Amino acid sequence: MGDLCETIYAATAATEAEPASVLLPGHDVPLGRYTTVRRLLPQRPRRMVGAWCFVDQFGPDDVVDRPGMQVPPHPHTGLQTVTWLVAGEVLHRDSLGSLATIRPGEVNLMTAGHGIAHSEESPAAHPPVMHGLQLWIAMPEKARHGAPRFEHHAGLPVLEIDELGVTVVVGALGAARSPAVVHTPLLGAEVVVPAGAAGRLPLSRGFEHAALVLDGAAQVEGTTLTPGSLLYLGIGRQELNVHSGSGARLFLLGGEPFAEPLVMWWNFVARTHEEIVEAREDWAAGRRFGTVTGYAAPPLPAPTMPTTRLKARDRNGQTVG
Ligand code: MN
């Protein structure tokens, strides 16, 4: 599989033909006691799309008479978290004192920088269905040691392109730009395709792109895409052809290929094994990440580290150093 994909990418680079698209099925991951999510990134060999380094798709889950999302306080470093909902409500608390309820069509963007802690929960009285995405953006060297911050944007730009309804969550598409602050050239957009509709989305040529479907089924550059898989679209496309017979809700990811190799472990994105060890020790000792108040359960302890050294990997999954 790895060799096949690398052959396709190599051929693309050599001929400058339209890049190949690769369908990457995700896998199910249990998250806490109540939820199973579908992990679409990182995968082998496709670990990133631009600076997007982690994509979990959850639901639609019936949460009537159930707790819904209950993620106790935990730390992050070196990344930004993005929460996007199709249905449901999530209450965010963090160690800066932020308290924000997110609803469909809004975005929560938490920038960890050097360190932050947060919790996420379905409020006690919550809507009957939970459905959405949790994404991480790797922060580049120039920004990752900075101060943490939290943004909630309820008024994202919405535009119509051909017959498609587009909400720009991160970055810019066409004439619309999201107010969310990111640190590398990046795109995140929800695309609603009504039944029987078609359209062409303008893309940045220097970006790599990928698409996923949250609801329904769509034809994306000729490939049928349904929930649970990521369609990697490569680098160098100028536009994306989308249509759907029965209707679909897509999410489009893009960005300039991220050049810095990463060490990802638990909730940390770093560059070396030693940085991960230090972050883990700081969390255990109550340093660096601050305190989340108001969540009804104790913070999550970090898991035990593996006995082997963690290695940095580049965006294609190759170990470095
Ligand atoms: Mn988190």
Side-chain angles (χ1 to χ4, degrees):
M1 178 69 190
D3 290 341
L4 175 64
C5 290
E6 275 148 33
T7 304
I8 291 168
Y9 300 138
T12 299
T15 61
E16 291 189 48
E18 189 75 347
S21 55
V22 184
L23 191 64
L24 302 166
H27 63 279
D28 289 338
V29 178
L31 199 71
R33 287 168 57 195
Y34 306 108
T35 322
T36 296
V37 301
R38 185 84 169 167
R39 185 147 303 157
L40 302 182
L41 270 184
Q43 294 204 32
R44 228 170 312 194
R46 181 56 40 219
R47 294 187 61 81
M48 302 182 77
V49 177
W52 298 104
C53 62
F54 183 93
V55 179
D56 270 357
Q57 187 167 4
F58 55 88
D61 290 327
D62 178 349
V63 292
V64 173
D65 298 327
R66 299 181 65 198
M69 182 183 287
Q70 298 296 331
V71 185
H74 59 278
H76 286 291
T77 185
L79 61 92
Q80 297 178 284
T81 64
V82 173
T83 307
W84 181 253
L85 296 177
V86 177
E89 270 181 31
V90 174
L91 174 62
H92 162 99
R93 306 172 193 268
D94 66 40
S95 50
L96 300 172
S98 313
L99 188 64
T101 300
I102 179 180
R103 299 181 177 86
E106 307 173 351
V107 67
N108 274 0
L109 174 69
M110 187 183 76
T111 302
H114 187 52
I116 195 169
H118 73 147
S119 63
E120 289 169 294
E121 66 199 277
S122 299
H126 50 256
V129 175
M130 269 293 284
H131 187 193
L133 293 173
Q134 284 266 358
L135 311 104
W136 293 358
I137 302 165
M139 296 181 73
E141 184 60 32
K142 66 177 195 288
R144 74 184 181 104
H145 305 288
R149 60 175 199 275
F150 176 75
E151 298 166 45
H152 172 85
H153 299 290
L156 294 169
V158 175
L159 66 162
E160 261 187 45
I161 299 177
D162 298 332
E163 299 171 321
L164 311 176
V166 179
T167 302
V168 184
V169 181
V170 170
L173 189 71
R177 174 168 287 277
S178 164
V181 177
V182 293
H183 300 275
T184 53
L186 203 63
L187 171 67
E190 188 189 72
V191 181
V192 174
V193 193
R200 285 191 305 188
L201 298 171
L203 300 182
S204 298
R205 257 200 114 110
F207 281 18
E208 59 183 333
H209 291 91
L212 62 91
V213 162
L214 286 156
D215 255 339
Q219 301 289 317
V220 179
E221 288 295 329
T223 299
T224 301
L225 193 55
T226 54
S229 294
L230 186 73
L231 182 65
Y232 181 70
L233 294 154
I235 305 166
R237 289 181 192 270
Q238 271 182 302
E239 60 177 29
L240 194 68
N241 286 286
V242 176
H243 66 94
S244 174
S246 53
R249 183 186 301 268
L250 273 77
F251 204 89
L252 179 62
L253 300 170
E256 277 185 6
F258 195 85
E260 300 171 32
L262 303 177
V263 181
M264 287 177 62
W265 183 81
W266 195 41
N267 293 304
F268 305 137
V269 174
R271 300 297 183 274
T272 65
H273 177 87
E274 286 71 21
E275 284 185 358
I276 297 284
V277 170
E278 191 181 358
R280 187 183 180 283
E281 287 173 355
D282 284 350
W283 176 243
R287 292 188 297 260
R288 189 198 307 199
F289 299 100
T291 304
V292 180
T293 54
Y295 190 83
L300 292 175
T304 306
M305 287 200 64
T307 51
T308 54
R309 280 180 61 81
L310 300 167
K311 289 176 178 164
R313 291 180 183 276
D314 69 15
R315 50 187 285 279
N316 299 311
Q318 302 298 309
T319 56
V320 175

